[in-house]
Amino acid sequence: MSGLSEARSEQTGPTQSWRQATSDAASPRERILAAAAHLFCHEGFAATGVDAIVAQAGAAKTTLYKHFESKEQLIDAVLEREGAAWRRWFFGKLGALRGDARARLLAVFDVLEIWFADPEFYGCPFINAIAEFDTGDERIRAAAAAHKAHLFAWLKAQALECGDSAPDETARQMVVLIDGAIVAAQGARDPSFARTAKGLASIRLEARPDL
């Protein structure tokens, strides 16, 4: 068993959603973060006000400002929280799969398909934030770049293990396919875009004699 079949076989009951990887929202700070994450990602960052967040969290506005000096600081914290939770889940899934480095590169899209099929899938919060905010907002761009650096480093490591003579370019091309699949799946509500991207990645890898 390999790829999507193996990844799906490990999904059981309460661990099905990637959002189970987030911390339990027991503390007021965590309840606020959880509420803000839900609203930002479903309603939009700009459209969501502080009043809606505290109402969703069942907290007072003074409690929000005790933990976060501004809405901008709350957005930063939400992106950090969402990114960390997703990376734990994503790389945990990949780490549980068997196979060589090339198989792991292609299995990325199997794991993405699981994510896309999750009822809580709303796209990548970093892509959403960059699309919503001014592209010159260096704070948002820096947060997105830091998140993407983890994925890029992992992809490059797999390419190096394959003996790839141009691992940076391979990682860049994979990132393009991954981001494209995320946006397409979000827009169409169709998880199968992960398989389309996997097919393109396979063609790309097959065309390289050193892989």
Side-chain angles (χ1 to χ4, degrees):
M1 185 186 296
S2 62
L4 181 59
S5 298
E6 182 174 340
R8 280 180 170 162
S9 74
E10 293 171 356
Q11 283 187 281
T12 54
T15 62
Q16 185 173 4
S17 174
W18 75 270
R19 296 185 62 75
Q20 294 291 333
T22 57
S23 303
D24 290 335
S27 71
R29 183 179 188 276
E30 282 299 313
R31 289 202 307 274
I32 290 168
L33 282 171
H38 176 85
L39 291 170
F40 287 156
C41 295
H42 289 82
E43 305 295 334
F45 291 88
T48 300
V50 169
D51 289 339
I53 294 169
V54 295
Q56 176 91 2
K61 191 179 293 187
T62 53
T63 303
L64 184 150
Y65 284 117
K66 174 183 176 182
H67 295 286
F68 308 99
E69 294 180 359
S70 64
K71 181 181 173 182
E72 288 72 25
Q73 190 178 92
L74 177 58
I75 289 172
D76 293 343
V78 165
L79 289 175
E80 180 180 353
R81 176 183 186 269
E82 294 292 285
W86 184 85
R87 292 191 300 270
R88 280 196 303 274
W89 176 84
F90 184 73
F91 292 120
K93 283 288 186 187
L94 290 172
L97 300 179
R98 294 185 293 273
D100 59 17
R102 185 181 182 282
R104 289 194 295 273
L105 282 171
L106 293 177
V108 162
F109 301 97
D110 298 331
V111 179
L112 286 178
E113 187 172 359
I114 294 170
W115 180 36
F116 297 167
D118 193 308
E120 288 295 318
F121 173 68
Y122 48 76
C124 170
F126 296 95
I127 293 176
N128 293 347
I130 287 177
E132 185 172 340
F133 288 98
D134 185 342
T135 54
D137 189 326
E138 291 303 321
R139 180 177 54 85
I140 298 296
R141 289 167 62 86
H147 172 70
K148 192 68 69 179
H150 292 277
L151 178 60
F152 185 89
W154 186 90
L155 294 168
K156 181 178 178 180
Q158 309 314 304
L160 282 168
E161 189 174 331
C162 288
D164 193 337
S165 59
D168 285 280
E169 185 59 24
T170 295
R172 283 172 60 87
Q173 291 178 359
M174 291 286 287
V175 166
V176 169
L177 290 173
I178 290 166
D179 283 356
I182 291 170
V183 173
Q186 179 184 11
R189 297 186 182 274
D190 183 354
S192 71
F193 275 104
R195 273 173 271 166
T196 302
K198 181 178 181 179
L200 293 171
S202 180
I203 291 170
R204 192 271 176 197
L205 294 178
E206 290 289 349
R208 289 288 302 277
D210 54 340
L211 293 181

